[in-house]
Amino acid sequence: MRKFLADYIKKDGNRNVVLLIVYLVIQTAAFSILLPNFMTVSNFQNLMRQSAELGMVSIPLAIVLMTGNIDLSIGSVMGVCAISMARMLRAGLPIPAAVLFTVCIGALAGSLNGFCVAKLHLDGLVATIGTQVMLRGFCYILTGGRSVSGLPSEFTRVSKMYVLGVPISFLLMLAIFAVAIFVMQKTRIGIQVHAVGYNARASRFSGIEADKIKFRLFVMSGCVAAIASMFMLMRFASAESEFANGYDTDTLVAILLGGINIAGGSGNMLGAFLGLITVAILKNGLNHIGMTATYQQFIVGLLIVISAVRLPKKRD
Amino acid sequence: MSEPVLQTKGIEKSFFGVQVLKGIDFEVRRGEIMGLVGENGAGKSTLMKIITGLYTNDGGTILFEGNPVVFPDPSKARDVGISIIHQEFNLFSQLSVAENIFLDRKDYRNRYGIVDWKKMYGDAERILRELGADLDVRTLVRQLSVREQQLVEIAKAVSANAKVLIMDEPSAALPDNEVQKMFHVVRMLKDRGVAIVYISHRMKEIEEICDRVSVLRDGRNEGVVEMSKGKVDDVISMMIGREISDYYPHSRRSFGQVVLRVEGVSGQGLEETSLEIKSGEVVGLYGLAGSGTTDFAEIVMGLSRRSAGKVFYKEAEVKRDSIKAAMSAGIAYVPPDRRKEGIIVMMDITQNTVMANLRAYEKAGVLQNKKIYEKVEEHVENLQIKCAGQSQQVLRLSGGNQQKVVLAKWLDRNPGLLILNEPTRGVDVGAKSEIYRMIDKLANEGLGILMISSEVPEVLGVSDRVVVMCRGRVTGEYVNEGIGQDVLLKAASSNAGGEENE
Ligand SMILES: Nc1ncnc2c1ncn2[C@@H]1O[C@H](COP(=O)(O)OP(=O)(O)OP(=O)(O)O)[C@@H](O)[C@H]1O
Ligand SMILES: [Mg+2]
């Protein structure tokens, strides 16, 4: 067992996982001792609801990062999806049909990114900043500056549904994570994603179609963003043009904390998940202390920088 | 006899509990070219990295000009006069030649920290001129050929007044015809009194250029041989602990149907090239740098764009510009640059070996790790890949063993046609003969093999038929029966097509 642990830590990307678990335990313990309202069922339900959407979108983003790419348009895609969904519901479209259309819109937005990166071979950073701004502009057009509210209660009610006390959005997020972990570890795609991230040329020489993989990842990212946006819409019961603005950065923060290498290749899904939980608990705890969002930002940023510091490698 | 400039005594080194150097004594004198040979993984590169301060040793001492030294990093070693040119070059491709030569030297800044370009360019020009190199010092390194890049590495070493120059497989990346030019430079440095450590797997070169040769085996000293005619066989048997009886095994076999037919293919660097390979046939494709042999392979494999012509695999036409089509037809390609094209160094042996054949291990979309493990174990066994285990990162394998991983990757697909581009580059003599034996065996099993090489003896040793290319065209084709080296060389430097003849 000790040998297994030692080997595990040595592996690329696993170091963060171990460190994060240690940090997470300390952080949670500290909050629950210091804050009387922290260890309560309703607080945890809240926490789970808040982190579910972030968790969902961080999954495809983590994989995109592993291929050496980036997607900064997630927040805008969510905005477009949520506003469209809200307007469709207001127009009286049945919920299942609206869900279907919204996912299609997400996929379409994702394929726009995919097209820019995989077909036009634009730099991912440039392309998705472009779509980020473009789609946000589209949000303004869709809302006309007014927020869309008055959504049917059969829809908003879903955010208050639980299975054994766990919000269903959180369960769905866990399910997506489980699938992603499985796919990344046990299937062809998993190996290929890492290969493309580490060495695109050598992967091509092995017959791996990096462009196809990248395109599909962006489409997937769009679909998941659509799903996440719906759960967020249920919680807020209204959509305005700034919906989910800045969500891309929040997602990146969680993932980077989990030790995914922004230069591509290394990192694993477990790390991304732990990063997400850590940020969620931290923010929640700081909320209880009464710290304002601006200070919270500062602390989370600090944590990222600290986690990115690598002690100088001991020479062989 | 002069005192050694550089000497090591009892150097020991372990990686993760595996001892790779078990007490190495080594020395080199002023104005001497000392060969350092040993099988892949014998520890040659590791020893040199210890000397120059890239790794720290677990035991033993290093003496430079008689005094014990320890260098915290390679730049300190260079400051006192020990320079190393690694197996993989360390140049900055976006910087100019001159900048690379003087990269970490402060003498070119005035007291405001501003670079004195005129002086830098002037000095760079002088150093290169002394080396007999005709290079513009302002060109970016990425625009240079491999040999020119190597010259820049040498110039960098010389600029630091090297007393010892360590060259780790300097010829591995060079085409055959450029090795002599490098030798010229090396001899010149020797005459200036520089002590040179020359690591290579090409015995011909060792015989030609070295004064003495140190042999390592499994991390131990096997002895030092004073070189003179005929001594190279001693070196080989010391190295691998046995004699190689039949270096180029070549069975008589009959060929089957045509596996690959290339008709008038053109593309970048290639003009209307045609070629046929039958099953069971080994075709050697010989050409010097820039002759188009690699372009040919990449176009057949669908890696670079084909502008005209047709490729047939067993009578079925292969879709153009698609590596997938070539692969699923049954063509496999071992590229020449293993670190950039062949393997993914950050991943492990297992993943690299199955990388091109993942679908074969899927069951209902899930990879079967047990099956993969067993298959990779088989390859490791067959190719005698020296490693700590399948899960070892390929980065941590010796150069020659990395090459074997690339071979394993493509053999795993059971191809019908195998294109090997410089397959023995950086591979030790023992393993080379294994690879030749394997080529022979695979051909006997009915594979068609195209071996691209710029080493004439190798081409003549293994091929049934030799095709020579020059400037993107086929300039000669011979059945391999008593053709001389000179015939190939002549065809390789001739101009086919007539109209360009001077
Ligand atoms: N950084 C490292 N970590 C772990 N093992 C290493 C490392 N570098 C080298 N080794 C191991 O040490 C042994 C010696 O390697 P080395 O590179 O010195 O061999 P070499 O004699 O230069 O071989 P080649 O001729 O193939 O280049 C090999 O078994 C190799 O796997
Ligand atoms: Mg070596």
Side-chain angles (χ1 to χ4, degrees):
Chain A
M1 184 63 200
R2 251 180 64 198
K3 177 156 181 335
F4 171 80
L5 259 180
D7 281 348
Y8 183 79
I9 296 173
K10 244 186 252 147
K11 275 221 162 134
D12 216 32
N14 286 348
R15 203 195 65 133
N16 265 56
V17 172
V18 176
L19 287 182
L20 264 179
I21 292 176
V22 174
Y23 174 81
L24 196 58
V25 170
I26 297 172
Q27 179 184 271
T28 315
F31 280 149
S32 47
I33 293 166
L34 294 175
L35 307 167
N37 290 334
F38 180 76
M39 266 295 180
T40 60
V41 172
S42 73
N43 183 43
F44 266 81
Q45 284 179 340
N46 238 333
L47 208 153
M48 287 191 270
R49 248 199 315 271
Q50 281 164 10
S51 54
E53 296 127 25
L54 198 65
M56 287 180 206
V57 289
S58 72
I59 297 162
L61 183 64
I63 305 176
V64 166
L65 248 59
M66 286 178 204
T67 64
N69 241 297
I70 198 162
D71 185 352
L72 291 178
S73 68
I74 293 176
S76 300
V77 174
M78 287 175 73
V80 170
C81 290
I83 296 164
S84 316
M85 178 92 186
R87 295 203 56 162
M88 284 188 273
L89 291 175
R90 280 294 299 273
L93 215 65
I95 294 176
V99 167
L100 193 70
F101 282 129
T102 307
V103 172
C104 288
I105 292 169
L108 207 65
S111 46
L112 178 65
N113 283 327
F115 180 78
C116 293
V117 171
K119 291 272 156 21
L120 301 181
H121 296 281
L122 300 185
D123 183 71
L125 191 69
V126 177
T128 59
I129 287 182
T131 45
Q132 180 197 69
V133 176
M134 216 164 83
L135 294 177
R136 186 55 65 188
F138 202 53
C139 290
Y140 286 101
I141 298 170
L142 280 177
T143 56
R146 288 177 301 275
S147 86
V148 187
S149 52
L151 304 178
S153 63
E154 308 90 79
F155 177 68
T156 51
R157 213 176 49 206
V158 180
S159 78
K160 290 268 161 45
M161 293 201 322
Y162 302 93
V163 176
L164 299 172
V166 181
I168 57 166
S169 58
F170 193 80
L171 284 176
L172 183 62
M173 187 268 282
L174 284 184
I176 301 179
F177 248 115
V179 170
I181 289 177
F182 181 82
V183 167
M184 291 302 290
Q185 285 187 351
K186 300 267 186 243
T187 73
R188 180 161 49 92
I189 308 298
I191 293 187
Q192 291 181 337
V193 161
H194 286 293
V196 169
Y198 279 127
N199 183 341
R201 186 169 169 83
S203 333
R204 191 166 87 88
F205 272 66
S206 299
I208 297 172
E209 294 166 299
D211 288 343
K212 205 184 251 176
I213 292 179
K214 286 179 188 167
F215 185 83
R216 287 182 186 170
L217 277 177
F218 276 111
V219 175
M220 207 178 76
S221 178
C223 293
V224 175
I227 295 171
S229 76
M230 290 185 237
F231 282 101
M232 211 162 154
L233 185 63
M234 290 167 200
R235 271 201 302 136
F236 295 160
S238 78
E240 24 91 58
S241 37
E242 292 292 316
F243 191 94
N245 201 358
Y247 224 64
D248 359 78
T249 332
D250 291 353
T251 326
L252 264 182
V253 162
I255 294 174
L256 291 182
L257 201 60
I260 304 260
N261 185 349
I262 202 159
S266 60
N268 59 38
M269 297 310 294
L270 193 58
F273 180 72
L274 289 170
L276 169 87
I277 299 294
T278 307
V279 176
I281 293 185
L282 180 65
K283 282 191 168 174
N284 181 278
L286 295 177
N287 251 336
H288 278 270
I289 294 174
M291 193 183 272
T292 60
T294 25
Y295 283 98
Q296 288 181 23
Q297 288 255 19
F298 177 79
I299 299 222
V300 173
L302 192 68
L303 197 61
I304 299 265
V305 175
I306 292 173
S307 81
V309 173
R310 295 278 181 282
L311 297 176
K313 249 202 178 147
K314 223 174 59 206
R315 290 196 305 163
D316 289 315
Chain B
M1 195 152 289
S2 64
E3 275 293 295
V5 213
L6 177 71
Q7 199 175 10
T8 72
K9 285 188 176 151
I11 299 287
E12 290 174 9
K13 176 71 184 171
S14 302
F15 288 113
F16 305 118
V18 183
Q19 194 169 15
V20 298
L21 296 181
K22 302 162 185 163
I24 301 288
D25 299 335
F26 178 78
E27 60 165 48
V28 57
R29 302 184 192 125
R30 243 179 79 79
E32 176 187 49
I33 302 180
M34 175 58 119
L36 180 60
V37 300
E39 288 181 289
N40 293 131
K44 305 178 293 293
S45 300
T46 305
L47 179 64
M48 295 303 125
K49 286 175 183 167
I50 287 173
I51 290 176
T52 51
L54 197 63
Y55 292 163
T56 47
N57 44 332
D58 306 338
T61 45
I62 304 162
L63 301 173
F64 180 63
E65 297 181 324
N67 307 313
V69 283
V70 177
F71 301 112
D73 63 75
S75 71
K76 297 291 182 309
R78 196 163 65 227
D79 289 345
V80 306
I82 305 178
S83 287
I84 181 164
I85 302 178
H86 287 286
Q87 229 163 329
E88 290 82 32
F89 298 159
N90 283 316
L91 297 175
F92 293 86
S93 57
Q94 299 293 343
L95 295 182
S96 72
V97 171
E99 284 169 297
N100 266 288
I101 295 178
F102 297 114
L103 195 64
D104 32 34
R105 301 266 296 285
K106 297 193 180 62
D107 6 343
Y108 291 93
R109 309 226 178 110
N110 64 19
R111 71 199 139 104
Y112 306 113
I114 293 172
V115 178
D116 185 350
W117 291 102
K118 218 169 131 197
K119 180 155 173 270
M120 191 196 257
Y121 286 140
D123 286 358
E125 254 158 29
R126 183 179 49 75
I127 290 169
L128 285 167
R129 191 156 2 96
E130 282 170 16
L131 292 174
D134 183 22
L135 276 183
D136 181 357
V137 296
R138 289 175 181 79
T139 35
L140 297 187
V141 160
R142 71 183 150 90
Q143 294 164 331
L144 302 181
S145 74
V146 179
R147 190 181 75 90
E148 291 166 333
Q149 290 187 20
Q150 195 170 55
L151 276 169
V152 176
E153 287 271 15
I154 295 176
K156 197 166 147 187
V158 173
S159 78
N161 283 318
K163 293 176 183 154
V164 179
L165 176 62
I166 298 165
M167 306 179 81
D168 197 350
E169 299 195 36
S171 60
L174 287 183
D176 224 15
N177 54 319
E178 297 195 329
V179 173
Q180 284 305 326
K181 296 184 197 160
M182 175 197 50
F183 278 2
H184 181 76
V185 175
V186 172
R187 288 203 179 93
M188 200 162 70
L189 295 174
K190 169 190 153 108
D191 292 340
R192 283 196 210 166
V194 179
I196 288 158
V197 181
Y198 191 93
I199 302 177
S200 179
H201 287 298
R202 298 190 185 165
M203 291 303 131
K204 202 178 72 181
E205 293 170 6
I206 294 287
E207 187 171 26
E208 189 180 335
I209 200 159
C210 296
D211 302 311
R212 289 192 296 162
V213 177
S214 273
V215 185
L216 295 191
R217 196 164 130 215
D218 283 336
R220 286 205 174 79
N221 286 102
E222 207 47 43
V224 178
V225 181
E226 297 274 347
M227 285 308 279
S228 58
K229 203 133 190 60
K231 280 291 178 64
V232 81
D233 290 339
D234 296 359
V235 172
I236 293 176
S237 55
M238 276 167 88
M239 233 173 97
I240 60 177
R242 63 189 153 91
E243 311 242 333
I244 296 179
S245 48
D246 192 6
Y247 195 54
Y248 295 117
H250 197 162
S251 344
R252 290 237 152 253
R253 53 185 166 251
S254 48
F255 309 142
Q257 50 161 168
V258 174
V259 261
L260 181 79
R261 194 167 82 241
V262 179
E263 286 178 1
V265 160
S266 302
Q268 170 84 274
L270 198 70
E271 279 172 61
E272 291 181 29
T273 305
S274 301
L275 190 81
E276 245 185 41
I277 302 173
K278 298 199 178 75
S279 118
E281 188 182 28
V282 180
V283 176
L285 184 58
Y286 176 71
L288 305 176
S291 60
T293 51
T294 295
D295 302 292
F296 177 78
E298 289 189 358
I299 286 173
V300 169
M301 198 61 194
L303 284 161
S304 54
R305 191 142 283 166
R306 187 194 326 160
S307 58
K310 288 189 165 141
V311 174
F312 296 91
Y313 178 84
K314 293 189 175 162
E315 298 307 318
E317 191 171 346
V318 181
K319 204 174 112 197
R320 67 168 61 186
D321 308 338
S322 156
I323 178 173
K324 263 214 135 144
M327 275 169 66
S328 45
I331 309 176
Y333 176 53
V334 174
D337 187 337
R338 60 172 168 258
R339 291 177 71 92
K340 292 211 184 86
E341 300 163 345
I343 40 175
I344 293 167
V345 290
M346 298 299 286
M347 298 180 81
D348 64 18
I349 296 177
T350 316
Q351 291 169 326
N352 270 285
T353 307
V354 296
M355 188 69 75
N357 200 20
L358 288 166
R359 275 182 199 277
Y361 298 100
E362 277 180 333
K363 194 170 179 185
V366 180
L367 291 174
Q368 297 180 283
N369 288 330
K370 187 157 169 281
K371 196 171 155 198
I372 291 179
Y373 179 84
E374 283 164 4
K375 198 67 191 295
V376 174
E377 211 54 22
E378 212 179 293
H379 288 299
V380 168
E381 177 82 8
N382 283 345
L383 295 172
Q384 294 174 20
I385 299 174
K386 208 170 157 187
C387 59
Q390 279 193 23
S391 57
Q392 189 171 12
Q393 248 186 357
V394 173
L395 181 69
R396 301 187 190 285
L397 290 179
S398 79
N401 283 302
Q402 293 180 348
Q403 181 66 20
K404 292 181 188 174
V405 173
V406 190
L407 277 170
K409 170 165 87 179
W410 288 103
L411 289 179
D412 197 58
R413 289 187 58 84
N414 290 320
L417 177 81
L418 181 59
I419 304 177
L420 302 162
N421 199 343
E422 305 286 358
T424 64
R425 198 173 262 180
V427 172
D428 69 53
V429 263
K432 254 184 207 169
S433 86
E434 291 303 323
I435 290 177
Y436 299 143
R437 204 173 299 281
M438 198 187 68
I439 290 177
D440 193 56
K441 183 172 143 250
L442 293 171
N444 285 339
E445 286 166 10
L447 255 82
I449 293 173
L450 179 69
M451 189 191 69
I452 301 174
S453 173
S454 60
E455 281 183 69
V456 177
E458 177 175 278
V459 170
L460 291 178
V462 303
S463 313
D464 296 306
R465 186 155 51 93
V466 181
V467 176
V468 184
M469 281 183 71
C470 179
R471 297 202 197 174
R473 287 168 186 277
V474 173
T475 50
E477 190 167 343
Y478 314 89
V479 173
N480 191 7
E481 270 168 23
I483 35 169
Q485 303 213 357
D486 47 325
V487 179
L488 297 191
L489 280 170
K490 190 144 170 282
S493 48
S494 74
N495 255 324
E499 74 265 37
E500 280 180 60
N501 263 338
E502 283 116 317

